[in-house]
């Protein structure tokens, strides 16, 4: 095993660039840039390297997943509303074949019924929802543990 830090691809999907303008009761008050700074800082403390990506275009999200081979060891993914119906993203995540955690700022399990559906959930080894930005640190910790354990 090399000593290089594990590389985590942190991927945000549709409308997450609008954090700071969205309902603070659901999503908090941080902008995406502030959230990414916090996640990057937490990752550094955990000895992880992060790379961030956000798009509102599903095809770009899919192509980012296609290009991860050799550039990332694991994925932390908040696809926004795509979570609930974007089968093409599910297929691309399967192709990426990396350990992944699904994350949501809000508690998708206690909102509208359609938000309880995740088309990516069973490809992710954990889902964290409803913990706000703190959930990202929990997710990074899970990813680190998983990578340290090695392939399952
Ligand atoms: C979200 C939850 C989704 O249902 C919603 O469409 C989002 C954000 C979250 O982080 O809580 O855009 O993924």
């Amino acid at each position: 095993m090399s000593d290089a830090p594990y590389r985590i691809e942190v991927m945000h999907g549709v409308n997450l660039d609008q954090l700071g303008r969205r309902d603070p009761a659901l999503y908090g008050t941080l902008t995406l840039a502030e959230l990414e700074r916090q996640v990057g800082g937490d990752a550094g403390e955990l000895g992880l390297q992060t790379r961030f990506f956000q798009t509102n275009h599903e095809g770009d999200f899919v192509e980012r997943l296609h290009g991860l081979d050799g550039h990332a060891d694991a994925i932390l993914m908040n696809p926004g509303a795509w979570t609930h119906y974007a089968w093409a993203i599910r297929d691309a995540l399967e192709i990426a074949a990396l350990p992944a955690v699904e994350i949501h700022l809000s508690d998708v399990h206690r909102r509208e019924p359609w938000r309880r559906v995740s088309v990516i959930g069973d490809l992710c080894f954990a889902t964290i929802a409803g913990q706000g930005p703190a959930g990202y640190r929990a997710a990074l910790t899970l990813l680190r543990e998983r990578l340290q354990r090695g392939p399952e």
Side-chain angles (χ1 to χ4, degrees), residues 5 80 136:
Y136 284 74

Side-chain angles (χ1 to χ4, degrees), residues 8-9 11 65 68 72-77 93 96 98-101 143:
I8 312 296
E9 186 80 6
M11 299 184 67
L65 285 165
L68 288 187
D73 301 305
I75 303 169
L76 176 53
M77 177 184 284
L93 181 59
L98 291 171
V101 171
L143 284 164

Side-chain angles (χ1 to χ4, degrees), residues 14-16 22 26-27 78-84 103-108 111 114-115 136:
V14 63
N15 290 317
L16 287 159
R22 300 185 70 179
L26 291 168
Y27 301 116
N78 183 349
W82 287 330
T83 306
H84 313 300
I103 183 147
H104 302 284
L105 290 159
S106 66
D107 190 350
V108 285
R111 297 180 61 193
W114 58 269
R115 288 188 206 271
Y136 284 74

Side-chain angles (χ1 to χ4, degrees), residues 51-66:
R51 198 172 70 159
F52 296 96
F53 180 75
Q54 189 278 330
T55 181
N56 293 320
H57 301 278
E58 185 178 343
D60 291 344
F61 201 87
V62 162
E63 289 187 351
R64 183 73 166 195
L65 285 165
H66 292 173

Side-chain angles (χ1 to χ4, degrees), residues 37-50 137 140-141 144 148:
R37 245 192 319 277
Q38 182 191 297
V39 174
D42 286 344
E45 285 174 23
L46 292 164
L48 300 168
Q49 192 178 300
T50 41
R137 191 182 173 101
L140 290 169
T141 304
R144 187 178 66 162
Q148 284 172 339

